[in-house]
């Protein structure tokens, strides 16, 4: 059993980022660890946590399925309270984790609890179902947000996303040929996964420094 939070980065960092995992992989998956390392490397304090259904998989032989994303909102808010970050807090996550964060962000931002929202591979729609959008709450989002998305992400490609009605508070970083884990095919794009993660982290750092805190 892992600790409640996995922590990386300087303890005296100006910003703390709280990240939740995607629907199918835990907080210590290779992609989550690589992203957290990249963000910590540019000076963020990074905390990762797991929703209860994912934590239960560590102690059970069964594969407990993820619940509906919106039912996880209270768990995300509880993690924020338990973390107790002393400075400006950015919330977010990978895929479903970022989606849950985006659903609780505005209320928290209004109350001064968070400074921004960071989504790594936002699940704009289920794969193969481009008409089943998960963007309704993003139209009027008031929280400053950065979404880092691969151009060939099957949950929302660069050809699809510009046509969505999204809040002007949302900035999108497109990573060439990146998939849902932001990984490119180097032989096709000329970029490595490390290249894209470095770009993601550098962009997130510059974006965070512009946040009104």
């Amino acid at each position: 059993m892992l600790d409640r939070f996995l922590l990386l980065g300087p303890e005296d960092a100006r910003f703390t980022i709280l990240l939740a995992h995607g629907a199918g992989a835990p907080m210590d998956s290779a992609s989550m660890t690589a992203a957290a390392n990249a963000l910590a490397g540019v000076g963020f304090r990074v905390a990762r946590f797991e929703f209860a259904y994912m934590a239960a998989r560590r102690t059970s032989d069964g594969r407990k399925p993820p619940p509906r994303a919106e039912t996880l909102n209270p768990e995300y808010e509880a993690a924020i309270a338990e973390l107790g970050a002393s400075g400006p807090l950015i919330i977010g996550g990978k895929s479903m984790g970022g989606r849950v964060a985006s659903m609780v962000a505005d209320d928290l931002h209004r109350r001064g609890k968070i400074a921004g929202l960071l989504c790594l591979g936002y699940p704009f729609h289920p794969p193969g179902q481009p008409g089943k959008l998960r963007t309704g709450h993003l139209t009027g989002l008031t929280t400053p947000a950065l979404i880092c998305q691969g151009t060939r992400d099957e949950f929302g490609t660069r050809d699809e996303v510009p046509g969505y009605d999204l809040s002007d508070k949302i900035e999108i970083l497109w990573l060439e040929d990146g998939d849902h884990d932001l990984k490119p095919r180097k032989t096709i794009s000329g970029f490595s996964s490390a290249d894209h993660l470095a770009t993601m982290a550098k962009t997130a750092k510059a974006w965070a420094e512009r946040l009104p805190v």
Side-chain angles (χ1 to χ4, degrees), residues 107-190:
D107 179 60
L108 293 164
H109 186 255
R110 252 189 321 268
R111 293 189 284 129
K113 301 292 187 182
I114 65 168
L117 170 70
L118 175 65
C119 299
L120 307 176
Y122 187 85
F124 288 100
H125 60 73
Q129 301 180 61
K132 193 175 180 181
L133 292 180
R134 298 160 169 165
T135 57
H137 67 293
L138 298 181
T139 298
L141 190 77
T142 59
T143 305
L146 175 64
I147 295 176
C148 301
Q149 196 85 355
T151 61
R152 64 184 177 93
D153 188 334
E154 60 182 354
F155 290 79
T157 68
R158 185 163 54 186
D159 290 335
E160 296 168 332
V161 176
Y164 301 156
D165 182 14
L166 302 178
S167 165
D168 60 9
K169 292 290 187 179
I170 298 173
E171 298 180 31
I172 299 180
L173 168 67
W174 287 106
L175 294 164
E176 189 61 40
D177 197 56
D179 63 10
H180 196 48
D181 289 332
L182 309 181
K183 290 180 180 178
R185 297 165 293 186
K186 189 167 185 179
T187 55
I188 292 175
S189 69

Side-chain angles (χ1 to χ4, degrees), residues 5-213:
F5 297 103
L6 292 180
L7 299 168
L8 285 171
E11 292 184 13
D12 61 349
R14 183 184 179 203
F15 289 94
T16 297
I17 300 179
L18 179 61
L19 296 175
H21 54 83
M27 64 179 175
D28 57 345
S29 68
S31 62
M32 283 286 287
T33 298
N37 279 324
L39 290 165
V42 297
F44 288 110
R45 180 70 164 166
V46 183
R48 286 172 281 166
F49 79 99
E50 281 182 353
F51 297 113
Y53 82 88
M54 184 61 71
R57 290 184 182 179
R58 297 183 183 275
T59 58
S60 170
D61 292 334
R63 184 174 172 84
K64 189 172 177 62
R68 292 179 62 85
E70 58 270 18
T71 67
L72 297 172
N73 292 1
E75 283 194 55
Y76 205 117
E77 294 186 7
I80 293 170
E82 187 175 340
L83 180 64
S86 57
L89 176 65
I90 295 166
I91 63 170
K94 172 173 169 47
S95 192
M96 184 194 72
R99 182 184 173 202
V100 176
S102 72
M103 289 190 284
V104 300
D106 275 358
D107 179 60
L108 293 164
H109 186 255
R110 252 189 321 268
R111 293 189 284 129
K113 301 292 187 182
I114 65 168
L117 170 70
L118 175 65
C119 299
L120 307 176
Y122 187 85
F124 288 100
H125 60 73
Q129 301 180 61
K132 193 175 180 181
L133 292 180
R134 298 160 169 165
T135 57
H137 67 293
L138 298 181
T139 298
L141 190 77
T142 59
T143 305
L146 175 64
I147 295 176
C148 301
Q149 196 85 355
T151 61
R152 64 184 177 93
D153 188 334
E154 60 182 354
F155 290 79
T157 68
R158 185 163 54 186
D159 290 335
E160 296 168 332
V161 176
Y164 301 156
D165 182 14
L166 302 178
S167 165
D168 60 9
K169 292 290 187 179
I170 298 173
E171 298 180 31
I172 299 180
L173 168 67
W174 287 106
L175 294 164
E176 189 61 40
D177 197 56
D179 63 10
H180 196 48
D181 289 332
L182 309 181
K183 290 180 180 178
R185 297 165 293 186
K186 189 167 185 179
T187 55
I188 292 175
S189 69
F191 295 103
S192 67
S193 293
D195 291 334
H196 276 359
L197 288 175
T199 298
M200 177 275 292
K202 181 179 177 181
T203 303
K205 182 71 169 177
W207 165 78
E209 294 296 341
R210 298 195 306 270
L211 293 175
V213 296

